[in-house]
Amino acid sequence: MNPVANPYSPGAGNRPPELAGRDDVIAQADVMFQRLRAGMTIEPMVLVGLRGVGKTVLLRHLRDMAEQAGYEILWAEADEGKSLPEVLVVGLRKTLLALSRIEAAKDRVRRSLGAFKSFVAGFNLTVGDVGLSYDPALGVADSGDLEADVSDIISEVGQAAAAAHNGLVIFVDELQLLQRSEFAALIAAIHRTSQERLPVAFVGAGLPQLLALAGSAKAYAERLFVFPRIDALSEEAAVAAIENPASALKVVFEPEAISEILRVTERYPYFIQQWAFCAWNTAADDNIITWSDVVEATIVAQKKLDESFFRVRYDQCSSSEKDYMRALAELGKGTHKSNGVSDQLHCSSDEANDELASLIKKGMIYQTVHGEVSFTVPMFDAFMRRAIPDFVAKS
Ligand SMILES: Nc1ncnc2c1ncn2[C@@H]1O[C@H](COP(=O)(O)OP(=O)(O)O)[C@@H](O)[C@H]1O
Ligand SMILES: [Mg+2]
């Protein structure tokens, strides 16, 4: 098979050749954007799911939809070690610049740029020279209080969008990387735009620990947001994700080949791309990919994942953290009581608490609202058993 023509796109954030199985969320976002246009109330939305299920590519797809609908966009991505103002500053600047080019909004944007200048100065941020020719707006986004100032600046941009007779859609990826107080500030800012009836919509994405984080950051967050769950694909969608990109290039996967990919990947999008990609490269025939091609590809795909997707995360952990993860892996797939893990380690839950806390902080493990623990990476339990084969469980 011609490797140059390989249509699959393994790797984080890479746009898949077929965005399969997300019609529900896309329709939900579509309704949201229509309500934004009509000046109706909007429920902010946060896509929640494990690593590699396709949150980022879906979020980007929704951004493209919003862009095509003509909305102003504010795009941001939380990052390890970056404060919320740092995360927002580049997007804020870009949005304000775009708005400043709209005649109807010019006067209003001037004030917003003043607020932006205060915001930038107040949090010691560095950014291009936008707004520097404007006087800082006094009393707006300059209190030094994170929650007040983030709310002010988001409100300012919302008002500027309103002056431009447009709506603003804010996107933030990797929300779980925000500190609790920062997440609280962001939630408060979103809440305020709805109280002020500003034309602002919010779509975020992040790992499942967000559900617990949101609730503990702001009690009302659970009612304010909708949290569509992004998960492994349905069988039908997984088949489409594999089959359609191939058939567009006149290549056919035998039904047994598809079943085998569905079986080994458990229909997780990241793995589907990896397996289809490897199967394509393994297939000798010009236009048919067989079951044995997939079986052969599994060796390559597994190795690739073990060396990259799984390994980079594993390597970030200390040996006691690895022990904790190995013990959790011993319990198999899904979520487990944390004392089940400490039992495996022959210690009390309290003694294993430091490891659990640091693994949660590193985003390796999340805790459900009921306090059960689970890996944030699908099939990480199996990887841990491969990485440390000779774990001796308590009998
Ligand atoms: N709906 C989908 N259909 C097919 N492949 C997908 C889909 N969503 C994501 N992928 C693929 O899965 C991988 C991971 O996607 P990504 O958005 O980075 O996941 P996340 O942000 O949840 O970690 C990428 O290779 C992407 O092309
Ligand atoms: Mg992502």
Side-chain angles (χ1 to χ4, degrees), residues 8-22 48-60 173-174 205-207 230-231 233 237-238 240-242 268-274 309 313:
Y8 300 98
S9 59
N14 288 344
R15 182 198 291 264
E18 166 103 9
L19 185 67
R22 302 301 184 213
V48 169
L50 301 177
R51 290 192 198 274
V53 289
K55 300 177 297 297
T56 296
V57 299
L58 182 55
L59 199 66
R60 290 199 189 133
D173 199 3
E174 306 285 3
L207 295 176
I230 312 301
D231 216 331
L233 297 177
I242 300 165
Y268 281 105
Y270 194 105
F271 304 146
I272 288 177
Q273 294 300 327
Q274 187 70 61
F309 189 66
R313 308 214 149 81

Side-chain angles (χ1 to χ4, degrees), residues 113-114 116-118 120-121 127-136:
L113 282 166
F116 181 66
K117 191 172 175 184
S118 300
V120 167
V127 68
D129 62 357
V130 63
L132 296 189
S133 57
Y134 297 98
D135 294 331

